[in-house]
């Protein structure tokens, strides 16, 4: 919604439609998939998480947790622990992938 100009970056935590899923897998025979190419360097990390993590830690807390641990699994464990400590109001799912180029 921010990218399309529907809301401002300041509204991402309070907008009433912030948790609406616009696309999902399994609810229809054909799925439109967003794809992109991003330049990644060795050591870069990607995160996929549910709103249960994002709502509890917000962008800054997620970034802090990602930087606090060298191991991707340890970063996941820390983020889930911090989200639960912040209230754990929803299901919390997180996957951290670290790029290793040889």
């Amino acid at each position: 919604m921010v990218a399309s100009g529907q809301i401002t970056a300041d509204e991402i935590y309070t907008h009433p439609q912030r948790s609406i899923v616009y696309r999902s897998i399994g609810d229809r025979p054909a799925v439109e998939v967003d794809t992109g190419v991003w330049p990644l360097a060795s050591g870069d990390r990607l995160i996929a998480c549910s709103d249960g993590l994002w709502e509890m830690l917000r962008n800054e807390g997620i970034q802090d947790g990602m930087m606090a641990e060298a191991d991707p699994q340890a970063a996941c464990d820390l983020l889930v622990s911090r989200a639960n400590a912040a209230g754990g109001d929803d299901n919390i799912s997180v996957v951290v992938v670290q790029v290793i180029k040889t």
Side-chain angles (χ1 to χ4, degrees), residues 34-41 44 46 99 101:
D34 290 324
T35 62
V37 177
W38 298 274
L40 298 172
D44 286 352
L46 304 173
V99 176
K101 291 187 177 182

Side-chain angles (χ1 to χ4, degrees), residues 76-86:
C76 287
D77 295 342
L78 177 64
L79 289 167
V80 170
S81 176
R82 287 182 178 179
N84 278 321

Side-chain angles (χ1 to χ4, degrees), residues 5-21:
Q6 296 177 33
I7 63 172
T8 67
D10 292 336
E11 295 176 293
I12 63 174
Y13 299 114
T14 58
H15 193 277
Q17 294 179 329
R18 68 187 174 277
S19 296
I20 291 179
V21 176

Side-chain angles (χ1 to χ4, degrees), residues 44-46 65-66 69-79 94-100:
D44 286 352
R45 288 185 173 179
L46 304 173
M66 292 279 285
E69 294 290 346
D71 176 68
Q73 182 60 57
C76 287
D77 295 342
L78 177 64
L79 289 167
V94 58
V95 175
V96 175
V97 177
Q98 186 162 322
V99 176
I100 300 173

Side-chain angles (χ1 to χ4, degrees), residues 34-77:
D34 290 324
T35 62
V37 177
W38 298 274
L40 298 172
S42 188
D44 286 352
R45 288 185 173 179
L46 304 173
I47 184 171
C49 69
S50 65
D51 61 344
L53 182 79
W54 182 78
E55 288 279 349
M56 294 293 99
L57 300 184
R58 312 266 172 112
N59 291 344
E60 299 79 19
I62 293 171
Q63 182 178 359
D64 290 346
M66 292 279 285
M67 300 300 291
E69 294 290 346
D71 176 68
Q73 182 60 57
C76 287
D77 295 342

